[in-house]
Each structure stands twice: as structure tokens, then as C-alpha cells.
């Protein structure tokens, strides 16, 4: 695959990476997080689901416990969030999750083989509500091309958001891609149940409507 699928000077979809950490979070970064970090050429023997922007990791840890026959790769740029997920995994003794700390675009480009994903989840991505910031939204044409190149035939892409205009744009983007279908093909991977996430609850309190959009990559 040519390097050109990866946008050369991509506008970042996130504003913060670090942030102030408590002593407990610092300890988790040093002593717990390393054992869960994804490294290039990691081999997993279960279907691999990429969860982009897991926040503090509560919904991902919940799914990992519910689906022991699935392997999860969580990508997050927010270090306290990555440390929190690692702590949850250790507490619950879950071994079917790896964490990629950093920008998911770099993870895909440098550490994940093409056609390796059985599914991709993007739950409540940063909405960047101001019009002049829409270019920072994660799911757009260039990033979709990257994702599709890393998905297996039959893999799903599950997007959820409480921002109506983001959902409309994503719906239109996905509908314009001939490789994708809104109906699961016979051998398509089933999507996973998800619990209510922290940002979802915030959206509900604000009176937003939650929308889940799911497509599958054709065989
Ligand atoms: C609004 S939060 C949603 C968190 C969680 N999914 C939930 O629903 O509670 C979006 C998360 O995506 C992360 N994020 C944004 N761009 C990212 C990127 N390019 N790579 C990895 N994580 C990213 C942010 O750091 C943030 O924690």
C-alpha cells in the first residue's frame, strides 16, 4: 500500500494529550500502563476491534469483560485516560485489550497491518461544534480511507454521536462510499453491545439525540 493513503499534514482531531495527573495516575503510567501497550507486530488470535478515543476507558473495559473472545485495541491521546483504562484492566484481570497511547492515525500508519481489523468503534468523538473547527473532526474522507485500508472484508465501522450535524455529515460520507453497506453482509461481523458512555450521558443531559451509525465493508 502506498504511503499516500496517510494524510501528510493532518489537522489534529484533539486538543490535549497530557494534562495534570494525580500521583496515582503517574504511578499507573509508570507501573501498569506499560504491560498493556500495543507494540508493532503484536499477534492476536481473536477478532481485533479498534476503539478510537476511549476516554477514561470505562465502556471499553465493560466490552472487554462482556466479549472475552474478542481482542480490543484502544487508541487514546489523553494519557490520564490511557492510565485509567490500564488500571481498570488490571483490577478486572482482563487480558484481551491492548492500549495504543497516541494519535490513532500514527498507530494505523506505523503499527497496524492493513486488513487486520474486524471492527472499528468511534464512540462520541470530539464534536468540534464551531463551523471553523469542523475540519478537526476525526471522521472525514481522508481518515475514512485510512480506516478502510486497515479493515478486513466484512468488518464493521460503528460511529455514535450526540451531535446532529456531525451525524448527518458522517451518514453522507459513508453513503457516498461504494465499498460500504448499511446492511450487514451474510458473513459480516456482528457489532458489539455498548454501554452508555460518559460523554453520551453528558449529551443526554443537554437534550441531544443519540445516533448510532453502522456500516460494513463489502466482501
Ligand atoms: C469526547 S471523548 C469520548 C470518550 C469516550 N469514547 C466516551 O464516549 O466517553 C473523545 C476522545 O477521543 C480522543 N481522541 C481524539 N482524537 C484522537 C486521535 N486522533 N487519536 C486517539 N484518540 C483521540 C480524545 O482524547 C478524547 O478522549
Amino acid at each position: 500500500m502506498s504511503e499516500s493513503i496517510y494524510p501528510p499534514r493532518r489537522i489534529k482531531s484533539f486538543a490535549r494529550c497530557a494534562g495534570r495527573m494525580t500521583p496515582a495516575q503517574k504511578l499507573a503510567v509508570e507501573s501498569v500502563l506499560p504491560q498493556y501497550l500495543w507494540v508493532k507486530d503484536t499477534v492476536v488470535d481473536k477478532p481485533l476491534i479498534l476503539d478510537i478515543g476511549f476516554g477514561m476507558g470505562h465502556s471499553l473495559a465493560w466490552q472487554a469483560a462482556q466479549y472475552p473472545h474478542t481482542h480490543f485495541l484502544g487508541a487514546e491521546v489523553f494519557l490520564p485516560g490511557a492510565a485509567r483504562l490500564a488500571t481498570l484492566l488490571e483490577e478486572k484481570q482482563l487480558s484481551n485489550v491492548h492500549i495504543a497511547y497516541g494519535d490513532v492515525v500514527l498507530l494505523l500508519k506505523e503499527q497496524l497491518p492493513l486488513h487486520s481489523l474486524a471492527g472499528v468503534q468511534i464512540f462520541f468523538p470530539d464534536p468540534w461544534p464551531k463551523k471553523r473547527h469542523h475540519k478537526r473532526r476525526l471522521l472525514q474522507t481522508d481518515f475514512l480511507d485510512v480506516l478502510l485500508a486497515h479493515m478486513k472484508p466484512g468488518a464493521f465501522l460503528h460511529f455514535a454521536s450526540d451531535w446532529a450535524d456531525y451525524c448527518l455529515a458522517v451518514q453522507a460520507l459513508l453513503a457516498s462510499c461504494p465499498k460500504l453497506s448499511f446492511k450487514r453482509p451474510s458473513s459480516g461481523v456482528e457489532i458489539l453491545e455498548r454501554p452508555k458512555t460518559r460523554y453520551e450521558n453528558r449529551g443526554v443531559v443537554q437534550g441531544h439525540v443519540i445516533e448510532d451509525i453502522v456500516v460494513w465493508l463489502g466482501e
Side-chain angles (χ1 to χ4, degrees):
M1 176 64 66
S2 89
E3 288 282 300
S4 60
I5 62 160
Y6 305 100
R9 280 186 298 115
R10 202 177 133 270
I11 297 160
K12 300 244 179 310
S13 60
F14 51 89
R16 53 175 193 170
C17 294
R20 199 176 280 274
M21 286 199 289
T22 63
Q25 285 172 328
K26 278 188 192 151
L27 187 66
V29 166
E30 283 158 23
S31 60
V32 189
L33 180 58
Q35 61 189 294
Y36 294 101
L37 287 177
W38 177 266
V39 286
K40 195 177 173 194
D41 301 329
T42 299
V43 176
V44 295
D45 56 0
K46 300 169 186 161
L48 183 63
I49 306 294
L50 173 64
D51 187 285
I52 304 175
F54 56 74
M56 298 307 272
H58 295 97
S59 65
L60 185 48
W62 182 92
Q63 285 190 321
Q66 290 295 309
Y67 296 98
H69 301 299
T70 297
H71 201 94
F72 295 87
L73 173 57
E76 177 55 63
V77 288
F78 186 51
L79 188 53
R84 183 69 189 119
L85 175 59
T87 307
L88 288 172
L89 298 175
E90 190 180 56
E91 282 167 8
K92 295 172 191 275
Q93 304 206 335
L94 294 166
S95 57
N96 57 332
V97 183
H98 274 91
I99 298 173
Y101 165 58
D103 187 346
V104 68
V105 177
L106 292 180
L107 164 75
L108 290 162
K109 182 176 178 182
E110 293 168 4
Q111 296 189 27
L112 204 71
L114 298 173
H115 315 299
S116 56
L117 297 171
V120 178
Q121 305 181 146
I122 308 177
F123 296 153
F124 302 89
D126 294 304
W128 294 107
K130 290 185 183 149
K131 195 155 193 202
R132 69 174 192 278
H133 289 150
H134 282 188
K135 56 183 181 287
R136 301 189 68 152
R137 287 178 167 176
L138 180 70
L139 191 49
Q140 322 216 23
T141 311
D142 57 355
F143 185 59
L144 178 64
D145 288 344
V146 174
L147 277 181
L148 296 183
H150 287 271
M151 287 163 62
K152 290 181 175 185
F156 67 78
L157 169 58
H158 184 174
F159 173 93
S161 175
D162 59 315
W163 287 84
D165 68 329
Y166 198 174
C167 290
L168 268 178
V170 165
Q171 184 84 24
L173 171 69
L174 300 178
S176 73
C177 179
K179 294 178 189 166
L180 294 173
S181 162
F182 287 90
K183 205 170 156 244
R184 182 163 73 91
S186 49
S187 56
V189 181
E190 283 204 52
I191 64 164
L192 310 180
E193 193 187 335
R194 64 172 186 81
K196 273 207 163 61
T197 79
R198 188 181 257 223
Y199 281 85
E200 175 171 8
N201 287 330
R202 195 181 284 185
V204 170
V205 168
Q206 291 171 345
H208 295 180
V209 174
I210 309 300
E211 204 173 331
D212 283 80
I213 303 173
V214 185
V215 286
W216 283 266
L217 182 59
E219 305 283 318

